Amino acid sequence: MVTSAFIIFTMQTGFGLLESGCVSLKNEINIMMKNLVDIFLGGFTYWLFGFATSFGHSTLHNPFIGWGDFALDSDDADPNMGALFTVFLFQMSFATTATTIVSGAMAERCNFKAYCIFSFLNTIVYCIPAGWVWSESGFLNEMGVVDIAGSGPVHLVGGMSALASAIMLGPRLGRYDLGNQPMPLGTPVNAVMGLFVLWWGWLAFNSGSTMGVSGAKWHYSAKAAVMTLLASFGGGFMGLGYTLVRNAGNVEVIDLINGVLGSLVSVTAGCFLYTSWEAILIGFIGAGITCSTMPLFDLLHIDDPVGATSVHGMAGIWGVLAVGLFASSPPDVDTTQGRSGLAHGGGFYLLGVQALSVLCLSTWSFFSTLVLLWLIDRIVPIRLHPHEELIGADLTEHRVKHDAGGVPEALAMLADHFDSALLEQVRSIGTNPGHEAYLGTHYARGPAALDKKDKKDNVAVLMRALSFGDGGEDDKKYAWVD
């Protein structure tokens, strides 16, 4: 479980690459910074109160909220120290993932300071429903809800939070002025690399959720990994077919990426409860739901730059319900409490409680996110000023200046709305200001304007730097340095 938690931690890299690849160049650093703060701000609050309100076992815990183990620590003499820290580390990797899902839906128009507050507090949106499903005393768990690795508590919660965030912020300026077609990706290679890293992390996400390898658990850990891959294959087929048909024989990068991701979300809830063909089918359907709902949100002018609502929210709904349809009761572990899905003759009970889980998790995450963002907006405006959005958050919030991506044009047109003194202090990325200043000082007039002494002094300095000599008569063979 510790090893799996380390691998799941690398999914932050995947989310960062994917999201930065989907946004415009002038906002790619901004989205990476949001992924960065999610780790330590969200991780800190999960340690402070998140784990306690999910899995705390004091006398105050109840079916709605856990209580106990705030600011988690353990005495070295405690024989349960290893188990406690292992569970905490594993669950914390899930918690930070749920917050990161939301950052993509808020991309390119969210105030970074407001986002930091959101990241700090969003743990409460995740940890309470996680306790409902995974805590021994959670009311959904007691009713028999099955969600092995988080199609509901992680992905559905994150996806519905993403939907609430996108609605609360509104579309990017000019997003739908030219129609509802997808916006061009900033760095498609980054987006695809992000998919590969997430694909890798998902194997630990699902196979590690057996919560150990003792007894028969290692069998189901291996099965979870294989079913996860098979589902992603089904999603790949659907994503490829969808984009070929929709784009007249061309393959859109984002369609194929999100098709695979939607299939991975879909299989997560019941990853070792399915047969091989069921896993492929679940992934195939999940990818279809993801790809088909992305343009529907654009028709409604709900601007989600990375498709987080479709990938995690809509596919998450299907993933939770799929357990009620296709799950089988494993003989060696009590994952389903002896119940099976409808396709295996288990009746409607499991499907019913899975549907209840969808309703509870969706309602909680959507409305709690709206309330949280509304409160933050009273303190720090959650939306960037229009001029800041047009210039790009990389420059206005992080002092990173691009010479592409429309930044020079925006600066020229909005010069009266930007601090020119501040702009003079910011150099374009990819440059060496020291070299530029030196060239401007010593070579602006051309070599012919330099006297012989200046030339010799410059060569001597360079010779010493390169350990060639002092630039004297013995070093004439290095005269090419001039």
Side-chain angles (χ1 to χ4, degrees):
M1 287 177 62
V2 170
T3 303
S4 293
F6 293 165
I7 298 172
I8 296 169
F9 189 80
T10 66
M11 294 179 77
Q12 293 286 352
T13 306
F15 278 114
L17 286 169
L18 175 63
E19 292 171 5
S20 66
C22 288
V23 302
S24 59
L25 289 176
K26 62 186 178 183
N27 290 292
E28 63 178 0
I29 302 301
N30 179 258
I31 198 70
M32 292 294 273
M33 291 299 98
K34 289 173 181 173
N35 278 267
L36 175 58
V37 300
D38 282 339
I39 297 173
F40 63 85
L41 293 179
F44 176 80
T45 51
Y46 190 75
W47 165 79
L48 188 64
F49 63 80
F51 186 77
T53 51
S54 288
F55 303 104
H57 282 90
S58 76
T59 55
L60 296 176
H61 85 279
N62 55 75
F64 179 77
I65 188 171
W67 207 261
D69 291 321
F70 290 93
L72 183 72
D73 205 348
S74 177
D75 190 278
D76 289 350
D78 186 349
N80 294 318
M81 179 182 70
L84 176 64
F85 284 154
T86 296
V87 172
F88 168 77
L89 185 65
F90 190 76
Q91 294 295 343
M92 187 187 71
S93 66
F94 277 47
T96 55
T97 296
T99 301
T100 297
I101 289 169
V102 187
S103 64
M106 305 170 79
E108 302 208 74
R109 74 267 200 214
C110 180
N111 184 310
F112 183 74
K113 298 179 184 66
Y115 183 83
C116 287
I117 300 173
F118 174 78
S119 180
F120 188 81
L121 298 175
N122 188 57
T123 297
I124 201 70
V125 177
Y126 163 80
C127 63
I128 290 179
W132 297 347
V133 175
W134 287 326
S135 173
E136 294 177 358
S137 59
F139 75 92
L140 290 176
N141 188 13
E142 290 183 342
M143 295 178 70
V145 164
V146 177
D147 197 318
I148 294 170
S151 286
V154 177
H155 298 287
L156 177 54
V157 167
M160 296 308 291
S161 292
L163 176 60
S165 302
I167 293 173
M168 190 79 171
L169 283 167
R172 289 165 286 179
L173 295 175
R175 170 63 182 91
Y176 299 109
D177 290 354
L178 303 177
N180 299 324
Q181 293 302 309
M183 300 291 279
L185 301 182
T187 314
V189 172
N190 275 13
V192 178
M193 288 298 295
L195 168 64
F196 289 143
V197 177
L198 288 171
W199 217 333
W200 144 259
W202 228 293
L203 295 174
F205 204 88
N206 288 1
S207 61
S209 293
T210 57
M211 307 300 281
V213 292
S214 60
K217 289 181 180 179
W218 77 273
H219 296 281
Y220 293 104
S221 182
K223 183 178 181 181
V226 174
M227 296 305 112
T228 299
L229 283 175
L230 289 176
S232 69
F233 300 162
F237 276 108
M238 168 55 81
L240 182 60
Y242 172 87
T243 192
L244 286 171
V245 172
R246 184 170 183 264
N247 299 296
N250 295 309
V251 177
E252 286 283 345
V253 175
I254 195 65
D255 288 339
L256 197 51
I257 289 174
N258 283 347
V260 172
L261 290 175
S263 66
L264 290 166
V265 171
S266 301
V267 77
T268 294
C271 49
F272 61 73
L273 302 177
Y274 306 130
T275 65
S276 297
W277 281 108
E278 287 170 346
I280 294 171
L281 177 63
I282 289 167
F284 187 85
I285 295 173
I289 292 171
T290 298
C291 292
S292 60
T293 55
M294 286 173 61
L296 292 180
F297 285 114
D298 282 328
L299 285 174
L300 296 172
H301 287 195
I302 297 174
D303 184 16
D304 185 345
V306 303
T309 304
S310 294
V311 171
H312 301 279
M314 301 302 103
I317 291 173
W318 163 241
V320 175
L321 295 177
V323 173
L325 294 172
F326 297 108
S328 58
S329 177
D332 303 315
V333 291
D334 193 30
T335 305
T336 67
Q337 300 178 28
R339 301 185 181 95
S340 298
L342 196 61
H344 292 275
F348 286 93
Y349 182 83
L350 184 56
L351 181 60
V353 294
Q354 296 297 113
L356 177 63
S357 178
V358 167
L359 178 62
C360 293
L361 299 180
S362 299
T363 303
W364 165 264
S365 54
F366 183 83
F367 287 105
S368 61
T369 301
L370 285 180
V371 171
L372 179 59
L373 288 174
W374 182 85
L375 291 173
I376 293 172
D377 196 42
R378 306 279 74 78
I379 304 170
V380 179
I382 62 172
R383 176 97 189 210
L384 282 174
H385 190 281
H387 301 134
E388 295 176 325
E389 181 179 340
L390 292 169
I391 292 171
D394 284 5
L395 179 56
T396 59
E397 297 198 300
H398 308 293
R399 297 193 179 188
V400 174
K401 183 185 175 187
H402 301 271
D403 281 336
V407 174
E409 294 83 356
L411 285 172
M413 298 180 69
L414 301 172
D416 294 339
H417 303 280
F418 195 80
D419 186 348
S420 58
L422 176 61
L423 182 60
E424 291 176 359
Q425 301 173 18
V426 180
R427 300 302 184 102
S428 298
I429 60 171
T431 63
N432 187 322
H435 284 177
E436 293 171 4
Y438 190 87
L439 287 169
T441 301
H442 297 282
Y443 293 97
R445 295 172 295 168
L450 295 173
D451 60 33
K452 188 173 182 180
K453 182 177 183 301
D454 289 337
K455 283 187 176 184
K456 186 174 181 180
D457 288 346
N458 287 336
V459 172
V461 170
L462 186 56
M463 292 298 183
R464 285 193 293 272
L466 299 177
S467 299
F468 285 156
D470 61 4
E473 291 298 320
D474 294 335
D475 296 310
K476 287 182 178 179
K477 60 182 177 179
Y478 298 112
W480 57 269
V481 174
D482 256 355

